[in-house]
Short mmCIF file of all heavy atoms in Angstrom, two decimals:
data_model
loop_
_atom_site.label_atom_id
_atom_site.label_comp_id
_atom_site.label_asym_id
_atom_site.label_seq_id
_atom_site.Cartn_x
_atom_site.Cartn_y
_atom_site.Cartn_z
N GLN C 578 -16.34 -27.74 85.43
CA GLN C 578 -15.17 -28.38 84.81
C GLN C 578 -15.41 -28.65 83.33
O GLN C 578 -15.10 -29.73 82.86
CB GLN C 578 -14.87 -29.69 85.52
CG GLN C 578 -14.66 -29.51 86.99
CD GLN C 578 -14.39 -30.80 87.67
OE1 GLN C 578 -14.82 -31.85 87.20
NE2 GLN C 578 -13.69 -30.77 88.77
N ASP C 579 -16.02 -27.69 82.64
CA ASP C 579 -16.32 -27.87 81.22
C ASP C 579 -15.04 -27.75 80.41
O ASP C 579 -14.54 -26.66 80.19
CB ASP C 579 -17.33 -26.79 80.82
CG ASP C 579 -17.86 -27.01 79.44
OD1 ASP C 579 -17.29 -27.86 78.75
OD2 ASP C 579 -18.83 -26.34 79.06
N PRO C 580 -14.48 -28.87 79.95
CA PRO C 580 -13.16 -28.79 79.30
C PRO C 580 -13.19 -28.06 77.97
O PRO C 580 -12.26 -27.34 77.64
CB PRO C 580 -12.75 -30.25 79.11
CG PRO C 580 -13.91 -31.08 79.50
CD PRO C 580 -15.01 -30.22 79.98
N SER C 581 -14.29 -28.22 77.20
CA SER C 581 -14.32 -27.57 75.89
C SER C 581 -14.39 -26.06 76.07
O SER C 581 -13.69 -25.30 75.39
CB SER C 581 -15.50 -28.09 75.08
OG SER C 581 -16.70 -27.71 75.69
N ASP C 582 -15.23 -25.65 77.03
CA ASP C 582 -15.36 -24.22 77.30
C ASP C 582 -14.03 -23.66 77.79
O ASP C 582 -13.59 -22.58 77.38
CB ASP C 582 -16.46 -24.00 78.34
CG ASP C 582 -16.95 -22.57 78.32
OD1 ASP C 582 -16.73 -21.90 77.29
OD2 ASP C 582 -17.52 -22.12 79.32
N LEU C 583 -13.41 -24.43 78.67
CA LEU C 583 -12.13 -24.01 79.23
C LEU C 583 -11.08 -23.91 78.13
O LEU C 583 -10.29 -22.96 78.09
CB LEU C 583 -11.69 -25.01 80.29
CG LEU C 583 -10.68 -24.53 81.32
CD1 LEU C 583 -11.22 -23.34 82.07
CD2 LEU C 583 -10.36 -25.64 82.29
N GLY C 584 -11.11 -24.88 77.21
CA GLY C 584 -10.16 -24.87 76.09
C GLY C 584 -10.36 -23.62 75.23
O GLY C 584 -9.40 -22.96 74.85
N ARG C 585 -11.64 -23.32 74.98
CA ARG C 585 -11.95 -22.14 74.20
C ARG C 585 -11.41 -20.89 74.89
O ARG C 585 -10.80 -20.02 74.27
CB ARG C 585 -13.47 -22.05 74.03
CG ARG C 585 -13.88 -21.39 72.75
CD ARG C 585 -15.31 -21.70 72.37
NE ARG C 585 -16.25 -21.70 73.46
CZ ARG C 585 -17.02 -22.73 73.77
NH1 ARG C 585 -16.95 -23.83 73.08
NH2 ARG C 585 -17.87 -22.65 74.77
N ASP C 586 -11.64 -20.87 76.19
CA ASP C 586 -11.18 -19.73 76.98
C ASP C 586 -9.66 -19.60 76.89
O ASP C 586 -9.13 -18.50 76.70
CB ASP C 586 -11.62 -19.92 78.43
CG ASP C 586 -11.21 -18.78 79.32
OD1 ASP C 586 -11.86 -17.73 79.23
OD2 ASP C 586 -10.24 -18.93 80.08
N GLN C 587 -8.98 -20.72 77.00
CA GLN C 587 -7.51 -20.68 76.93
C GLN C 587 -7.05 -20.15 75.59
O GLN C 587 -6.16 -19.32 75.50
CB GLN C 587 -6.93 -22.08 77.14
CG GLN C 587 -7.20 -22.69 78.51
CD GLN C 587 -6.43 -21.99 79.60
OE1 GLN C 587 -5.57 -21.17 79.31
NE2 GLN C 587 -6.75 -22.27 80.84
N ALA C 588 -7.73 -20.66 74.53
CA ALA C 588 -7.33 -20.22 73.19
C ALA C 588 -7.53 -18.72 73.04
O ALA C 588 -6.67 -18.00 72.52
CB ALA C 588 -8.16 -20.97 72.15
N GLN C 589 -8.66 -18.25 73.58
CA GLN C 589 -8.94 -16.82 73.48
C GLN C 589 -7.93 -16.01 74.28
O GLN C 589 -7.49 -14.94 73.85
CB GLN C 589 -10.35 -16.53 73.98
CG GLN C 589 -11.41 -16.91 72.96
CD GLN C 589 -12.80 -16.78 73.51
OE1 GLN C 589 -12.97 -16.52 74.71
NE2 GLN C 589 -13.80 -16.97 72.68
N ALA C 590 -7.55 -16.57 75.44
CA ALA C 590 -6.57 -15.88 76.27
C ALA C 590 -5.26 -15.76 75.52
O ALA C 590 -4.59 -14.72 75.55
CB ALA C 590 -6.37 -16.63 77.58
N GLN C 591 -4.88 -16.84 74.82
CA GLN C 591 -3.64 -16.79 74.06
C GLN C 591 -3.72 -15.76 72.95
O GLN C 591 -2.78 -15.00 72.71
CB GLN C 591 -3.34 -18.16 73.48
CG GLN C 591 -2.65 -19.05 74.50
CD GLN C 591 -2.35 -20.42 73.96
OE1 GLN C 591 -2.67 -20.71 72.81
NE2 GLN C 591 -1.74 -21.24 74.78
N GLU C 592 -4.88 -15.74 72.30
CA GLU C 592 -5.07 -14.74 71.25
C GLU C 592 -4.91 -13.34 71.82
O GLU C 592 -4.26 -12.49 71.21
CB GLU C 592 -6.47 -14.89 70.65
CG GLU C 592 -6.55 -15.89 69.52
CD GLU C 592 -7.99 -16.08 69.08
OE1 GLU C 592 -8.76 -15.11 69.15
OE2 GLU C 592 -8.32 -17.21 68.68
N ALA C 593 -5.52 -13.14 72.99
CA ALA C 593 -5.46 -11.81 73.60
C ALA C 593 -4.01 -11.45 73.92
O ALA C 593 -3.56 -10.33 73.67
CB ALA C 593 -6.30 -11.78 74.86
N GLU C 594 -3.28 -12.42 74.46
CA GLU C 594 -1.88 -12.16 74.78
C GLU C 594 -1.11 -11.76 73.53
O GLU C 594 -0.33 -10.80 73.53
CB GLU C 594 -1.24 -13.42 75.38
CG GLU C 594 -1.33 -13.48 76.88
CD GLU C 594 -0.77 -14.78 77.41
OE1 GLU C 594 0.16 -15.33 76.80
OE2 GLU C 594 -1.29 -15.25 78.43
N HIS C 595 -1.39 -12.52 72.49
CA HIS C 595 -0.73 -12.27 71.23
C HIS C 595 -1.04 -10.86 70.73
O HIS C 595 -0.17 -10.11 70.31
CB HIS C 595 -1.20 -13.30 70.21
CG HIS C 595 -0.43 -13.29 68.93
ND1 HIS C 595 0.90 -13.65 68.87
CD2 HIS C 595 -0.79 -12.92 67.68
CE1 HIS C 595 1.31 -13.51 67.64
NE2 HIS C 595 0.32 -13.07 66.89
N GLU C 596 -2.32 -10.51 70.87
CA GLU C 596 -2.74 -9.19 70.39
C GLU C 596 -2.05 -8.08 71.18
O GLU C 596 -1.56 -7.11 70.60
CB GLU C 596 -4.26 -9.07 70.54
CG GLU C 596 -4.83 -7.88 69.82
CD GLU C 596 -6.32 -7.74 70.00
OE1 GLU C 596 -6.96 -8.76 70.33
OE2 GLU C 596 -6.82 -6.63 69.83
N VAL C 597 -2.00 -8.26 72.51
CA VAL C 597 -1.35 -7.24 73.34
C VAL C 597 0.10 -7.08 72.93
O VAL C 597 0.62 -5.96 72.80
CB VAL C 597 -1.47 -7.63 74.83
CG1 VAL C 597 -0.55 -6.78 75.67
CG2 VAL C 597 -2.90 -7.46 75.29
N GLU C 598 0.75 -8.22 72.68
CA GLU C 598 2.15 -8.15 72.28
C GLU C 598 2.29 -7.38 70.96
O GLU C 598 3.16 -6.52 70.82
CB GLU C 598 2.71 -9.55 72.10
CG GLU C 598 3.34 -10.10 73.37
CD GLU C 598 3.75 -11.54 73.20
OE1 GLU C 598 4.17 -11.92 72.09
OE2 GLU C 598 3.63 -12.30 74.18
#
Side-chain angles (χ1 to χ4, degrees):
Chain C
Q578 303 179 334
D579 188 349
S581 65
D582 199 20
L583 201 58
R585 210 161 41 236
D586 181 76
Q587 296 290 350
Q589 283 173 353
Q591 277 179 0
E592 272 174 33
E594 269 176 32
H595 189 67
E596 192 182 338
V597 167
E598 269 174 35

